[in-house]
Amino acid sequence: MDKHRRWLPSLAALGISARAGLAAMALLLASPLVGPSLGPGAWLGKALGPGGAAWAQVAAPGNRLGTAPPPARLWRDIRRGRAGAPSGTAIGTGVLVQSEGQRWRELHNRRVRPYGGWALLGSLGAVALFFALRGRVRLDGPRTGRRMARFTQAERVVHWYVAGLFVLLAVSGLTLMFGRGLLLPVMGKSAYGALASAMLQGHNLFGPLFIAGILVMAALFLKDNLPQKGDLLWIAKGGPWMRSHAPSWKYNIAEKAWYWLAVVAGLVLSASGLVMEFPWVFRDISWIQLANLSHGIAALAIMAVALGHIYLGTIGVEGALEGMTTGSVEEAWAFQHHEMWARETAAGSAGARGGTEAESEGARPGAARAGHAAAE
Amino acid sequence: METPFWLWLIEGPFWLIAATIFVLGVGWRLVSLLALGRRRDLSVPRGSAAGGALRAILLHFIPHGGFFSSTTFHVLTGYLFHLALFALLLFAAPHVTFLEKNVLGFAWPAMPRWAFIVTAELAFAGLILLWARRISDPVQRQITDGGDHAQLWLTFAVMLTGCLALEEASLALRGLHMVMVELWLIYFPFSRLMHAFTWALSRGAMGATFGRRGVMP
Ligand code: HEM
């Protein structure tokens, strides 16, 4: 294949459906900028933006019983959150209007939700743009047939366990966050009610399983995601953009950043999720409000970046998925993408075996033949 | 709540059809397996075939003879999933009620709600771990075919729709779960889900051969 075609903008090389998809995505993203009443973006904008259906307006208590307005002092006490003596509540206190709740709702409905929504769409757009400009990052040369062990069975199982749960939680969580604005008007109340109940039950059930997974994953993958000398070289040499093969250790600095984001956001999600799942443990409602906001922010951040991770792990980089499915990667891939790690691994296994074979856990039959070109 | 027509269809006739296909299909497969019989063995027996069969059936619940270390993951996740699934199937309150109303006519004590939830978590953890292994072990990838994926995903769909209906507030969700159960029952006799019945036969056949030769199965 022509070298330049691969990273120069090459829309012409894309299939008609891919081009149509990109155009639709661009239109969607741009339409709210063009005109408020134009295109699907306007519909999204209406649903998500300020004043949109996505954030329900809750009126302040107005239609009280009785004819005379309550004394100003009573209102003041209520607004200041003074506790009264209600005739009976299962949980909660006698506080009638919890004024901080308005701040929470403001933040949740006007900040987290719309900005998060746009961050997700923006991430999708960025992935599409990256694909349009850079195309699939292919293997440079022919496959050597030699394999290099990259992930142990335990690492692979934990990765797919976490990834599987992540998808289930993302789908159910997104439905809960955006469903009221985007789906309810289309589906109607009773259908959306059933859907929301289903998604809430699923989300609550899968959450704890994810927590266990992210903790094990954080521990298993920690070692190779610590900063190493030479990490910055990868950026200096242009990272994924250039064709000069920026060298890196087992994970380049972008992958390391993904690890740390996944771990930190994962822990925030876990802690805040637990607070919301067991609200009676934290009697103070401000904890629950804080948990809710941080849950939303962490979830949208991890989802936005996960889109990039998933793209690079599947279509984006030829030969990357093999590592996570079989445990080993093509030797040419290892040297092309993680040169410092590949050299180290090759030297290590040559030393350990007293030979020059690239060792491999999931090698294809006859793959680990002699003649390993560790020094290229 | 009054039962709408579609739910009646799902829980009435469609349920009967699915259950019939399940019972007849499983019966047919078991009978045809047994009818295959065993080749006559003219050698002088050195031990008891029946004893060997029994021993294999019981002993092979736990891997032995040095296999445990290489199958630890499978044994643990396999038991986790299956035990939790059986506990759910038999002791979740909605299932006890359903079995009483539609199949058996009598009930037994169900587990408390919190145990129901914990058991569901364990069953999901087991199934997802088994799936993760299936797609990421080079050898298992080689021997996995479409049928394995189909039964795995179908079982997952049954469990998922069940968990989505946990609030027990929506007839549509209950109906959806029921439809998945029925599809699962219909698919059962045609798939390796049959292992729920055939495991004893295959262990027994192997154990009988060994036992007759006086070898520990
Ligand atoms: C669902 C689709 C996903 C796919 C297709 C996918 C694919 C991959 C692939 C191919 C690799 C190997 C990259 C390499 O060899 O350098 C990888 C690594 C990794 N993935 Fe995923 N992944 C997915 C989801 C996730 C999720 C949801 C998380 C975390 C929440 C995650 C966390 C990781 C981590 C931590 C690594 C190791 C790289 C590092 O530590 O920097 N993945 N993934």
Side-chain angles (χ1 to χ4, degrees):
Chain A
M1 201 211 226
D2 174 8
K3 285 211 160 189
H4 300 289
R5 277 254 314 271
R6 269 184 269 165
W7 77 282
L8 282 175
S10 57
L11 282 173
L14 290 173
I16 183 76
S17 57
R19 259 180 284 167
L22 284 177
M25 185 95 62
L27 190 70
L28 189 72
L29 288 172
S31 55
L33 306 175
V34 179
S37 60
L38 206 75
W43 170 71
L44 269 177
K46 260 195 214 140
L48 297 172
W55 36 292
Q57 296 282 348
V58 179
N63 296 330
R64 314 159 303 275
L65 285 176
T67 45
R73 191 164 50 79
L74 178 61
W75 263 121
R76 211 168 39 238
D77 282 350
I78 288 176
R79 297 298 300 175
R80 283 181 184 165
R82 215 174 110 174
S87 57
T89 56
I91 34 170
T93 61
V95 175
L96 201 56
V97 175
Q98 200 262 339
S99 291
E100 297 89 72
Q102 282 184 338
R103 260 195 46 169
W104 161 76
R105 195 179 56 219
E106 190 86 347
L107 286 172
H108 179 262
N109 293 357
R110 293 206 196 191
R111 297 278 183 273
V112 179
R113 189 147 57 189
Y115 289 138
W118 288 118
L120 279 183
L121 289 179
S123 169
L124 262 183
V127 167
L129 194 69
F130 184 78
F131 176 63
L133 296 181
R134 178 73 167 85
R136 187 167 198 216
V137 181
R138 295 196 175 275
L139 277 177
D140 264 353
R143 288 178 174 259
T144 64
R146 288 183 296 271
R147 313 285 298 172
M148 267 192 173
R150 186 159 172 85
F151 298 112
T152 64
Q153 181 67 72
E155 287 168 337
R156 281 172 275 151
V157 164
V158 169
H159 176 269
W160 290 120
Y161 173 86
V162 169
L165 284 162
F166 180 88
V167 171
L168 291 168
L169 286 165
V171 170
S172 51
L174 285 173
T175 311
L176 291 172
M177 183 167 264
F178 297 107
R180 183 185 277 262
L182 297 181
L183 301 176
L184 184 125
V186 189
M187 298 175 69
K189 277 188 183 163
S190 69
Y192 178 69
L195 181 70
S197 153
M199 293 299 139
L200 184 65
Q201 297 303 323
H203 203 76
N204 285 351
L205 200 81
F206 292 127
L209 297 178
F210 177 81
I211 298 178
I214 198 84
L215 290 177
V216 178
M217 183 156 164
L220 270 188
F221 287 84
L222 173 68
K223 185 171 113 328
D224 292 303
N225 280 296
L226 293 170
Q228 280 162 291
K229 220 173 117 189
D231 277 348
L232 292 175
L233 203 64
W234 185 77
I235 295 204
K237 289 230 174 169
W241 290 102
M242 307 307 273
R243 301 204 39 79
S244 60
H245 292 329
S248 92
W249 294 106
K250 182 160 183 181
Y251 306 122
N252 61 48
I253 200 165
E255 287 179 290
K256 288 184 179 180
W258 164 235
Y259 166 87
W260 286 106
L261 173 78
V263 169
V264 173
L267 292 180
V268 171
L269 283 167
S270 306
S272 54
L274 285 175
V275 172
M276 288 188 288
E277 204 152 342
F278 302 103
W280 55 86
V281 178
F282 298 83
R283 309 213 124 230
D284 189 349
I285 196 163
S286 53
W287 276 100
I288 297 162
Q289 290 164 347
L290 182 69
N292 174 284
L293 292 176
S294 38
H295 202 76
I297 294 170
L300 289 160
I302 201 174
M303 279 189 279
V305 183
L307 289 174
H309 175 71
I310 293 169
Y311 166 73
L312 291 173
T314 50
I315 350 178
V317 180
E318 182 185 3
L321 194 60
E322 295 161 22
M324 261 312 161
T325 51
T326 67
S328 64
V329 288
E330 162 63 33
E331 190 187 273
W333 183 91
F335 277 97
Q336 181 175 333
H337 292 285
H338 301 274
E339 195 184 330
M340 300 193 278
W341 168 76
R343 283 182 190 287
E344 195 183 51
T345 311
S349 65
R353 302 189 134 215
T356 49
E357 286 179 358
E359 207 202 338
S360 136
E361 190 188 323
R364 294 203 212 115
R369 265 174 271 115
H372 166 56
E376 280 189 306
Chain B
M1 263 184 284
E2 204 189 308
T3 311
F5 176 69
W6 54 266
L7 190 62
W8 171 81
L9 214 59
I10 291 173
E11 296 191 330
F14 194 29
W15 157 251
L16 267 182
I17 294 171
T20 310
I21 293 177
F22 173 78
V23 171
L24 291 183
V26 169
W28 171 260
R29 283 202 60 182
L30 289 182
V31 167
S32 54
L33 265 177
L34 291 171
L36 280 177
R38 293 174 66 78
R39 214 190 308 149
R40 269 190 60 198
D41 192 341
L42 298 175
S43 62
V44 183
R46 296 198 189 156
S48 152
L54 195 66
R55 227 176 286 151
I57 288 177
L58 294 178
L59 284 180
H60 286 229
F61 274 116
I62 293 171
H64 55 280
F67 282 111
F68 193 79
S69 59
S70 56
T71 54
T72 314
F73 180 86
H74 245 105
V75 174
L76 294 182
T77 48
Y79 271 111
L80 179 70
F81 167 64
H82 283 97
L83 290 179
L85 191 67
F86 287 136
L88 282 179
L89 184 65
L90 295 178
F91 295 105
H95 296 167
V96 175
T97 314
F98 179 84
L99 288 174
E100 182 191 10
K101 238 177 56 188
N102 293 291
V103 190
L104 300 168
F106 56 91
W108 50 87
M111 50 182 158
R113 178 95 182 160
W114 66 264
F116 180 13
I117 305 283
V118 171
T119 315
E121 302 262 10
L122 296 178
F124 272 111
L127 187 63
I128 297 173
L129 285 169
L130 286 167
W131 164 77
R133 171 77 183 258
R134 188 174 283 289
I135 63 162
S136 69
D137 179 319
V139 176
Q140 222 183 336
R141 282 172 69 89
Q142 293 281 327
I143 58 175
T144 294
D145 62 15
D148 291 308
H149 287 298
Q151 64 190 25
L152 193 147
W153 282 99
L154 200 53
T155 306
F156 177 71
V158 171
M159 290 166 55
L160 181 71
T161 50
C163 118
L164 299 186
L166 262 176
E167 205 176 35
E168 294 178 44
S170 155
L171 293 182
L173 295 178
R174 185 172 110 198
L176 187 65
H177 181 45
M178 196 62 200
V179 168
M180 294 324 295
V181 171
E182 285 155 358
L183 291 178
W184 190 87
L185 286 175
I186 293 171
Y187 185 55
F188 192 103
F190 303 98
S191 69
R192 272 179 223 124
L193 290 170
M194 274 299 290
H195 75 280
F197 295 99
T198 51
W199 65 272
L201 294 182
S202 58
R203 269 190 214 174
M206 190 265 299
T209 310
F210 276 52
R212 195 169 195 285
R213 294 180 187 170
V215 183
M216 187 69 153

